Amino acid sequence: MAAEQKQKIEQQLWNIANTLRGKMDADDFRDYILGFIFYKYLSRKMELYANEILSPDGLTFQEIEGHKDKELLKQEVKQLAIDKLGFFLEPGELFSELARRGNAGGKNNFILGDLSKVLTHIEQSTMGSESEEDFVNLFSDLDLTSHKLGKSETDKNELIVKILVHLEEIDFDLENVDSDVLGDAYEYLIGKFASGAGKKAGEFYTPQQVSSILAQLVTVGKDKLKSVYDPTCGSGSLLLRVAKEVKDVSFFYGQEMNPTTYNLCRMNMIMHNVHYKRFDIKNEDTLERPQHYDIRFEAIVANPPFSANWSASPLFMNDDRFSSYGKLAPSSKADFAFLQHMVHQLDENGTMAIVLPHGVLFRGAAEGHIRKYLIEDKNYLDAVIGLPANIFYGTSIPTCILVLKKNRTHAKDVLFIDSSQHFEKVKTQNVLRTEDIDKIIATYKNRTTEDKYCYVAPLSELAENDYNLNIPRYVDTFEEEEAIDLTAVTQELRQLAQESATTDATIKGFCEELGIETPF
């Protein structure tokens, strides 16, 4: 039932997005549709919780508007809601109420001003409370004055009312506390927008198949985590994926540089019922201004921007994240800088998994020096996993996953997996199937050697290769070509020559009959 309902909601939401966005850029419309879904979610949560509080008095949240003790009841509900939910909405500010007013009598009534005030009030209701940081500027990307919504105020209002009315018809099933149907549908929408966003998609979304591998790698042998951290968390999909692999995650940490994506991440957390007291997402540049510097995490996952630029300022040689290595990652390729940052944040009993371009495996100079230090001096590298090309939105380059631990069980070797040929082609993308993912995880757990797929390399072999981690050096995927039977080829050539001579003779006869010269 849950699967059917999930599919139904996903389809309904995508249909709304497709039908109503018109000529608006998908990227812009994404912020509106996801923002309004979030507003409806908050409204429904508010209404359900308020009804629960008021039920002993035989009242519903909507009914207190006409009650003689209206202000007193509202104040009581507000105090409890701020602590429990982190925010407060008045009965007249609920999504259902705005949708009803906007479409009252089947007409398009003007509600833009009211809607703008409501969204501002949600943020204001948290001021001075513990949840303030988690809600501040959360709706800043919902610009209701933007010309992208329409030329005139009437046009803008008409589109917004249509979105609200269509969303109001969908049952989010929030009464079912065991269901995460809406959270999954929200993820589905983010993924659908990502698939159409090309290169920009990588900024906010890691494909579910890759998220699944990373999440399973960092949770091997664990059913609870004290903390999980993503230094480039995007929309939060990776953090939430880790939570699906264990019974409980006590706390979620993340940092995201892009303000729009940062808002999306906070919304995504709340939509997945992660209480505001259980997540700490910051909006800053992770390498230049890390926000969780002194905290150590049990699980760390990341899909950082590939070969991004960073300052590589000499001042970083005094930063504990980089100082012990003796060299900084080049300013044109921050891949190792992200990896070093994650190693710094990793707890002694923790596991980290990071997706990087293949260049990190073999590039020399400073990167070669850092790679050698990680393996020879620290012995943190646990596994290297090669992924197929063209599995990320907006880039076709092949990538790899590096798994690192500070206290390794298998301290004398490194596991290499070549999964580059294990995928299914779907339209223009390559997709890892369930069996491909399962094979990677099973191989990582069992740490076996399999011809043309995986190899357990002793550390001495890595040293012999001067710490070059290029996967073909360890996993031989060379396919021998079939032996050529030269005798058969000679006979075939003779046969062809004979047939050619017969054809020439026939053409010569036709030419003589016609009284013309032969072409040879």
Side-chain angles (χ1 to χ4, degrees), residues 78-79 82 134 143 148 156 162 199 231 251 279-280 294 356 395 458 518:
K78 180 175 180 177
Q79 283 177 348
I82 291 290
D134 298 313
D143 181 4
K148 291 170 184 173
K156 293 171 192 171
K162 274 183 186 172
K199 196 158 191 172
F251 215 94
F279 70 84
D280 181 21
D294 296 320
L356 291 168
T395 179
T518 58

Side-chain angles (χ1 to χ4, degrees), residues 46 49-57 59 61 64 67 69-85 87-90:
M46 180 69 236
Y49 183 59
N51 287 346
E52 187 186 314
I53 295 166
L54 296 164
S55 64
D57 300 317
L59 290 168
F61 193 40
I64 67 171
H67 199 275
D69 297 323
K70 177 175 89 169
E71 292 308 318
L72 189 69
L73 287 166
K74 256 201 268 192
Q75 201 52 39
E76 187 187 329
V77 170
K78 180 175 180 177
Q79 283 177 348
L80 291 166
I82 291 290
D83 183 60
K84 175 78 174 173
L85 306 176
F87 67 95
F88 175 71
L89 277 163
E90 302 261 354

Side-chain angles (χ1 to χ4, degrees), residues 285-322:
D285 184 318
T286 301
L287 296 179
E288 305 293 335
R289 288 172 290 281
Q291 298 295 297
H292 304 100
Y293 191 85
D294 296 320
I295 309 174
R296 299 295 173 264
F297 307 107
E298 192 175 353
I300 305 180
V301 284
N303 171 25
F306 300 152
S307 302
N309 293 324
W310 75 303
S311 70
S313 164
L315 295 173
F316 280 128
M317 287 311 298
N318 298 317
D319 186 316
D320 285 350
R321 295 176 295 168
F322 312 110

Side-chain angles (χ1 to χ4, degrees), residues 430-448:
N430 291 337
V431 176
L432 286 156
R433 299 157 296 192
T434 305
E435 60 263 35
D436 301 325
I437 295 168
D438 290 346
K439 187 172 172 67
I440 290 171
I441 302 304
T443 304
Y444 178 73
K445 286 178 180 175
N446 300 327
R447 233 173 160 80
T448 51

Side-chain angles (χ1 to χ4, degrees), residues 310-514:
W310 75 303
S311 70
S313 164
L315 295 173
F316 280 128
M317 287 311 298
N318 298 317
D319 186 316
D320 285 350
R321 295 176 295 168
F322 312 110
S323 57
S324 63
Y325 295 82
K327 296 238 175 132
L328 293 173
S331 59
S332 61
K333 293 179 179 67
D335 304 313
F336 267 109
F338 281 112
L339 187 143
Q340 289 166 294
H341 169 86
M342 290 166 69
V343 167
H344 169 79
Q345 305 276 186
L346 188 64
D347 206 349
E348 291 301 314
N349 70 334
T351 305
M352 60 171 267
I354 180 172
V355 183
L356 291 168
H358 266 220
V360 300
L361 301 177
F362 52 80
R363 288 193 298 247
E367 291 180 294
H369 177 86
I370 294 167
R371 197 167 54 239
K372 181 179 179 181
Y373 180 82
L374 277 167
I375 302 164
E376 186 180 54
D377 292 72
K378 289 297 185 183
N379 195 13
Y380 287 164
L381 184 66
D382 200 47
V384 178
I385 302 165
L387 299 176
N390 202 30
I391 56 171
F392 286 91
Y393 301 118
T395 179
S396 59
I397 63 167
T399 52
C400 63
I401 294 172
L402 299 186
V403 184
L404 292 95
K405 293 179 175 183
K406 287 185 175 172
N407 281 308
R408 301 203 301 127
T409 309
H410 306 277
K412 294 180 179 178
D413 54 56
V414 174
L415 172 67
F416 287 82
I417 298 174
D418 186 349
S419 189
S420 60
Q421 301 308 311
H422 296 252
F423 62 88
E424 179 184 17
K425 194 164 184 64
V426 178
K427 294 179 183 172
T428 57
Q429 290 283 130
N430 291 337
V431 176
L432 286 156
R433 299 157 296 192
T434 305
E435 60 263 35
D436 301 325
I437 295 168
D438 290 346
K439 187 172 172 67
I440 290 171
I441 302 304
T443 304
Y444 178 73
K445 286 178 180 175
N446 300 327
R447 233 173 160 80
T448 51
T449 290
E450 183 186 318
D451 192 37
K452 300 191 186 333
Y453 184 73
C454 58
Y455 175 67
V456 180
L459 291 176
S460 57
E461 192 170 341
L462 274 67
E464 284 168 24
N465 282 319
D466 202 19
Y467 300 100
N468 182 322
L469 305 176
N470 205 9
I471 297 170
R473 283 179 177 245
Y474 304 93
V475 182
D476 182 10
T477 55
F478 179 74
E479 294 284 350
E480 277 190 34
E481 289 184 18
E482 219 176 296
I484 297 169
D485 185 343
L486 291 175
T487 307
V489 171
T490 305
Q491 284 178 347
E492 197 177 331
L493 287 171
R494 282 178 184 154
Q495 177 71 28
L496 287 170
Q498 202 173 337
E499 288 173 7
S500 179
T502 307
T503 305
D504 287 351
T506 306
I507 292 168
K508 186 182 178 186
F510 289 148
C511 289
E512 284 173 355
E513 280 180 37
L514 294 167

